[in-house]
Amino acid sequence: MGFSLFISDLHLCESRPEMIEAFVTFLSDTATEAQNLYILGDLFEYWPGDDIMSTGAYAEVIKALNTLGQSDVNSFLIHGNRDFLLDGEFSKATKVTILSDPYLTTLYGKRILMSHGDSLCTDDKDYLKFRAEVRNETWTSNFLSQPLSSRIAYIESIRKQSELEKSIKSMEIMDVNQAAVESLLEEYDYPPLFIHGHTHRPNRHQYHIKGHQCERFVLGDWYEQGSFLMLDQHGIYEHSI
Amino acid sequence: MNTVSEKKVLVCTNFRANPNHPSCGARDSDKLFIALSEELKDTPISTEKSPCMGLCHMGPNVRLVPNGKCFNEASLEKLALITKEIKAFIAC
């Protein structure tokens, strides 16, 4: 029956060529044996628009995704807070299908809910306000109408501000809110498995809600080392690269 | 709660012909499967050949399911240690 792979928070960028190399190797080796590859957000450190695809290190990643796309492996992506502008041209070039967030599917007879996870950090009011501002068609259209260099400069300024804010925010604020998680699980009729990233706090959480048993897996990031989660008919297995 | 009968030892025997792509099958995991089957024949756990586990570069791979350990770079030399851990998995 094969297996499916889940990854998130790679934050690929030119300043970390070793992780780009690790990801390209992952795509050309491990991923080629999978049925499905799910990238649950923040594949890139930032994405100013699909017109950046052909530049620098991005081109190498696009090429590797495209090569995987030529095989029988189905690749899917959910937007992250860093790369929510990934769009149709990226999808066309890589054969990666962009999914809505959250996304519910059934694999190996089990209902599985996936998300990037940032929308669950409801205690971080400032972030949610910013998220609402930039995740609409008007903002996107205005932003993408600017030259690429201007967009990159804007993102760099936002990133600096974000890093400064993160240094003074409490860890609890930047984690998911338990009530938000439970509300989402209820909304999707308690899927037995919920997988997300974003918080960079890989873990496995058990929930017993109203007679339902759910597991929440938080994927690890690709800063110190890469990691992936494998799901097959026998269950789940976590692995570091 | 999982019953003993649901527990399995999966030995990846996937073979990839491309020499640039390592695989468990190309690293004699068939021999490991035979040896493990023999070692575990009197236990309640079943030993099965498995398709690829996605860990080819670390093979041969032996995985205990459900929710058990995965032994990477398994070999006949490590058979005694792996068998010991499998027996502990059966008992837990």
Side-chain angles (χ1 to χ4, degrees), chain A residues 27-236:
Chain A
L27 290 180
S28 65
D29 190 12
T30 303
T32 59
E33 299 295 326
Q35 283 180 309
N36 307 296
L37 169 65
Y38 291 93
I39 304 168
L40 303 189
D42 285 357
L43 172 61
F44 298 103
E45 177 67 4
Y46 64 85
W47 192 260
D50 285 354
D51 50 346
I52 200 172
M53 268 192 303
S54 57
T55 63
Y58 291 103
E60 195 180 347
V61 176
I62 301 302
K63 186 181 171 190
L65 283 168
N66 178 276
T67 302
L68 185 69
Q70 307 285 342
S71 70
D72 294 332
V73 183
N74 304 304
S75 299
F76 304 94
L77 178 139
I78 286 178
H79 285 136
N81 52 301
R82 303 287 190 131
D83 54 15
F84 66 91
L85 289 174
L86 286 164
D87 205 359
E89 289 302 311
F90 166 82
S91 190
K92 190 176 165 187
T94 58
K95 303 188 189 312
V96 171
T97 302
I98 297 177
L99 305 173
S100 56
D101 184 0
Y103 185 80
L104 182 71
T105 191
T106 300
L107 293 170
Y108 318 110
K110 187 179 260 191
R111 288 191 312 125
I112 297 160
L113 186 64
M114 303 169 224
S115 173
H116 177 54
D118 59 325
S119 61
L120 297 171
C121 298
T122 54
D123 293 326
D124 192 345
K125 307 291 184 200
D126 291 339
Y127 170 68
L128 286 187
K129 187 182 170 197
F130 172 75
R131 189 181 194 276
E133 280 171 10
V134 300
R135 300 277 186 115
N136 70 71
E137 284 187 22
T138 306
W139 187 94
T140 302
S141 177
N142 287 338
F143 184 73
L144 292 176
S145 68
Q146 298 171 37
L148 180 59
S149 58
S150 303
R151 280 177 270 148
I152 292 173
Y154 175 77
I155 290 171
E156 290 290 355
S157 70
I158 292 289
R159 284 174 66 205
K160 278 181 189 163
Q161 187 183 331
S162 171
E163 289 304 314
L164 181 67
E165 287 172 357
K166 273 196 285 186
S167 68
I168 54 175
K169 280 180 185 173
S170 73
M171 294 299 278
E172 288 73 25
I173 279 179
M174 292 189 289
D175 201 354
V176 297
N177 174 287
Q178 291 306 313
V181 171
E182 291 182 17
S183 174
L184 186 69
L185 292 173
E186 182 178 11
E187 184 184 342
Y188 283 87
D189 195 23
Y190 304 104
L193 193 55
F194 173 36
I195 306 170
H196 71 85
H198 183 64
T199 61
H200 300 213
R201 297 173 199 189
N203 212 334
R204 186 174 189 161
H205 304 270
Q206 303 283 342
Y207 291 84
H208 302 276
I209 315 167
K210 297 180 182 172
H212 301 275
Q213 192 166 336
C214 308
E215 270 189 310
R216 177 169 69 92
F217 275 83
V218 187
L219 299 171
D221 61 43
W222 283 47
Y223 280 135
E224 298 300 321
Q225 63 178 133
S227 63
F228 62 84
L229 189 149
M230 188 192 84
L231 174 72
D232 65 10
Q233 60 177 319
H234 301 292
I236 250 176

Side-chain angles (χ1 to χ4, degrees), chain A residues 1-3 5 28-30 32-33 204 215 228 230-232 234-237 239-241, chain B residues 8 10 14 16 21-22 51-58 63 65-70 72:
Chain A
M1 288 181 75
F3 61 89
L5 297 170
S28 65
D29 190 12
T30 303
T32 59
E33 299 295 326
R204 186 174 189 161
E215 270 189 310
F228 62 84
M230 188 192 84
L231 174 72
D232 65 10
H234 301 292
I236 250 176
Y237 179 70
H239 184 71
S240 297
I241 296 171
Chain B
K8 293 177 183 175
L10 303 178
N14 186 50
R16 299 203 289 183
H21 287 172
C52 183
M53 300 174 183
L55 308 168
C56 312
H57 57 294
M58 299 181 74
R63 184 174 160 213
V65 296
N67 301 322
K69 186 174 180 176
C70 185
N72 308 123

Side-chain angles (χ1 to χ4, degrees), chain A residues 237 239, chain B residues 9-14 23-25 27 29 32 36 48 50-64 69-75 82:
Chain A
Y237 179 70
H239 184 71
Chain B
V9 180
L10 303 178
V11 182
C12 178
T13 52
N14 186 50
S23 63
C24 298
R27 289 168 169 162
S29 61
L32 189 63
L36 269 175
E48 295 181 6
S50 164
C52 183
M53 300 174 183
L55 308 168
C56 312
H57 57 294
M58 299 181 74
N61 296 295
V62 177
R63 184 174 160 213
L64 309 183
K69 186 174 180 176
C70 185
F71 301 95
N72 308 123
E73 298 176 353
S75 64
I82 293 170

